[in-house]
Amino acid sequence: MDNVTFVSADEAVKYIRSGNRVFIHGSAATPVCLLEAMQRRYRELEHVELVSITTMGDVNFDAPHHRRSFFFNSLFVSAATRSVVNSDDGDYVPMFLSQIPQLFRTNILPIDVALIQVSPPDKHGYCSLGTSVDIARAAIDTAKYVIAQVNPLMPRTHGDSFVHVAKINAMVFHSAELPEVDYALTATPIMEKIGYNIASLVEDGATLQLGIGSIPDQVLKNLGNHKDLGIHTEMFSDGIIPLIESGIINNSKKKVNIGRSVTSFITGTRKLYDYVNDNPGIRVMDISYVNDASIIRQNPKATAINSAIEIDLTGQVCSDSIGTYQFSGIGGQMDFIHGASLSKGGKPIIALPSQTNTGISRIVPFLKEGAGVVTTRGHVHWVITEYGMVDLFGKSLKQRAKALIEIAHPNHQEMLDRSFFKRFEKVEDQ
């Protein structure tokens, strides 16, 4: 780093102008020090549009005094942005995760400034995007100006993550611990049961995609007797480490990236960040590649595990909103549900607790008014709760409704039976 010039965060963000569109590197790579420096300029800036997917770290995007200065146009909603996205000072773009890079590359959403976080440059001048390549690769490639937080605690990952210092217009050296999430700590007995049910469907030689949260972590804990598993997923966390170390995950049966685990971003604990550091067995790739159904389908027995907020009796899956309230986003669910359905021996899986923490059924006669359908009833296959598993593929409306009622919480089955009768049986009597 001897030949690299560093500036302060306040100096670096001076390039941002009113009316700019600013990309924010996401997940564990969220460049908090750059965002704080940008926000300190709120009195000087107006109508700066912020775009990102999931952000992490101690950043407040919903401060009242920032309202005139920043507008958050989210491509996936996370806890840090949920409030502002559902206000007058934010919005949400419904989009398959695999296609977000097209927004940048085709100038539908041209990026003026990209705020990123990278590892220190190597002797050849290459930094690494570390934990998050996802949509950042396209943003950096197309941005007019790139500002980087250089963090020695950012792991150096292999794949599509390398960025030469010549591409970076301003570099800020700032050492900071990456945000950590331990999904094992958030598990409940219900999630443990769902994880067990899902694991029973996973075959030896399967290629796994795991969504975010405790349920995927519980699935991994139940795969200790499996063989020759592979990983091709948009995201992974700590639960994968023991399976790789034991040889259960060896990627030997994959047809694409044989012998390597493929992901697009990494979120977990420091143990995970250290594990992926300079690890050639893990490739962190552009999301337009990882989530491409034509790539996913090439791996045998692609098993895609995703979650939902609610599902109606015909199989329509809402995963991104609670009625009109935008809770998360489309993300990569449909990319992998469709890709797995085309894979030889593939299993697309939607997993959800049978009811909410307040006792409301997640299997419902009708989705809430305003709810978004992420996975259509034409795409849905396996649905799993703590009460069992059903495969809706090829089933009629009545058949799938009866099947879903069987895996609903017992407290709600009578209500769902009445809804079934009102919708189907009563019609036949007229």
Side-chain angles (χ1 to χ4, degrees):
M1 294 193 296
D2 293 341
N3 297 324
V4 176
T5 300
F6 294 105
V7 298
S8 69
D10 290 317
E11 182 69 24
V13 300
K14 285 183 178 178
Y15 186 84
I16 298 172
R17 301 285 185 266
S18 293
N20 278 177
R21 178 176 292 115
V22 178
F23 168 79
I24 301 171
H25 202 179
S27 300
T30 304
V32 173
C33 78
L34 300 181
L35 294 176
E36 290 176 339
M38 178 185 68
Q39 289 178 332
R40 284 195 290 269
R41 296 187 56 210
Y42 74 93
R43 291 186 179 87
E44 310 165 35
L45 297 172
E46 291 183 337
H47 310 302
V48 173
E49 180 184 338
L50 309 178
V51 295
S52 186
I53 45 175
T54 301
T55 59
M56 297 175 66
D58 188 17
V59 183
N60 182 7
F61 292 104
D62 197 32
H65 56 283
H66 291 163
R67 295 290 177 95
R68 183 177 61 85
S69 306
F70 306 108
F71 182 91
F72 207 109
N73 196 18
S74 187
L75 304 171
F76 188 92
V77 182
S78 60
T81 59
R82 199 166 287 139
S83 178
V84 68
V85 165
N86 285 280
S87 75
D88 292 338
D89 302 294
D91 208 345
Y92 163 67
V93 180
M95 192 90 181
F96 293 154
L97 196 51
S98 62
Q99 293 184 313
I100 290 175
Q102 292 182 31
L103 298 178
F104 306 150
R105 296 191 185 281
T106 61
N107 282 326
I108 294 173
L109 286 181
I111 302 300
D112 295 301
V113 181
L115 302 181
I116 63 173
Q117 184 173 183
V118 298
S119 68
D122 62 17
K123 64 181 180 180
H124 304 292
Y126 285 94
C127 303
S128 169
L129 293 171
T131 57
S132 295
V133 172
D134 45 67
I135 68 171
R137 177 80 271 166
I140 294 164
D141 289 346
T142 59
K144 299 180 181 71
Y145 200 85
V146 178
I147 303 171
Q149 173 187 343
V150 179
N151 186 355
L153 297 180
M154 173 64 77
R156 179 180 175 81
T157 57
H158 293 237
D160 291 332
S161 67
F162 295 114
V163 181
H164 197 271
V165 292
K167 178 64 179 175
I168 301 172
N169 300 96
M171 302 179 73
V172 177
F173 188 87
H174 183 81
S175 180
E177 292 288 348
L178 301 183
E180 298 184 42
V181 179
D182 189 345
Y183 294 110
L185 298 178
T186 61
T188 65
I190 290 173
M191 292 176 180
E192 290 173 359
K193 179 60 176 175
I194 294 171
Y196 176 84
N197 288 344
I198 296 170
S200 70
L201 283 181
V202 177
E203 299 180 47
D204 289 345
T207 303
L208 303 180
Q209 177 258 331
L210 303 149
I212 298 173
S214 298
I215 289 176
D217 192 76
Q218 293 304 308
V219 175
L220 293 167
K221 288 184 177 180
N222 286 281
L223 298 178
N225 294 320
H226 283 65
K227 298 177 182 178
D228 300 327
L229 298 179
I231 294 293
H232 184 102
T233 182
E234 68 189 27
M235 174 269 186
F236 75 59
S237 56
D238 290 66
I240 285 179
I241 297 176
L243 295 181
I244 294 178
E245 291 180 335
S246 66
I248 292 169
I249 292 175
N250 58 28
N251 297 291
S252 63
K253 302 299 182 183
K254 290 167 65 176
K255 300 299 183 184
V256 184
N257 295 289
I258 299 170
R260 291 183 174 89
S261 297
V262 171
T263 187
S264 196
F265 64 98
I266 296 161
T267 304
T269 68
R270 187 69 235 179
K271 178 182 178 181
L272 178 65
Y273 304 148
D274 290 339
Y275 183 78
V276 302
N277 183 50
D278 204 26
N279 187 338
I282 296 168
R283 305 192 75 199
V284 189
M285 309 290 287
D286 188 314
I287 201 69
S288 61
Y289 172 85
V290 174
N291 284 36
D292 185 337
S294 69
I295 302 295
I296 296 165
R297 70 179 299 179
Q298 293 180 49
N299 287 316
K301 302 178 184 178
T303 303
I305 303 163
N306 288 273
S307 61
I309 292 174
E310 61 179 0
I311 179 170
D312 75 9
L313 288 178
T314 73
Q316 294 187 111
V317 177
C318 172
S319 302
D320 69 341
S321 66
I322 301 172
T324 59
Y325 184 82
Q326 199 61 47
F327 189 80
S328 60
I330 290 175
Q333 182 170 123
M334 264 303 301
D335 295 329
F336 276 94
I337 291 291
H338 186 51
S341 73
L342 300 174
S343 163
K344 186 175 181 180
K347 291 188 176 79
I349 297 170
I350 297 292
L352 70 166
S354 63
Q355 62 179 5
T356 68
N357 293 334
T358 57
I360 299 171
S361 183
R362 290 181 181 267
I363 297 175
V364 294
F366 304 99
L367 299 181
K368 291 181 179 63
E369 184 177 1
V373 174
V374 170
T375 295
T376 75
R377 59 192 185 185
H379 287 97
V380 73
H381 285 235
W382 285 96
V383 179
I384 297 179
T385 72
E386 70 272 27
Y387 290 101
M389 308 172 283
V390 294
D391 186 1
L392 303 186
F393 186 64
K395 286 184 168 56
S396 69
L397 293 176
K398 294 179 184 178
Q399 289 171 332
R400 56 181 54 202
K402 289 179 180 179
L404 287 168
I405 292 171
E406 289 179 2
I407 63 168
H409 194 284
N411 290 350
H412 305 294
Q413 288 181 344
E414 182 179 345
M415 175 273 293
L416 293 170
D417 279 334
R418 290 197 302 269
S419 296
F420 177 92
F421 179 82
K422 183 176 181 180
R423 180 166 185 164
F424 296 112
E425 304 296 342
K426 194 174 180 180
V427 172
E428 292 182 354
D429 294 340
Q430 290 178 352

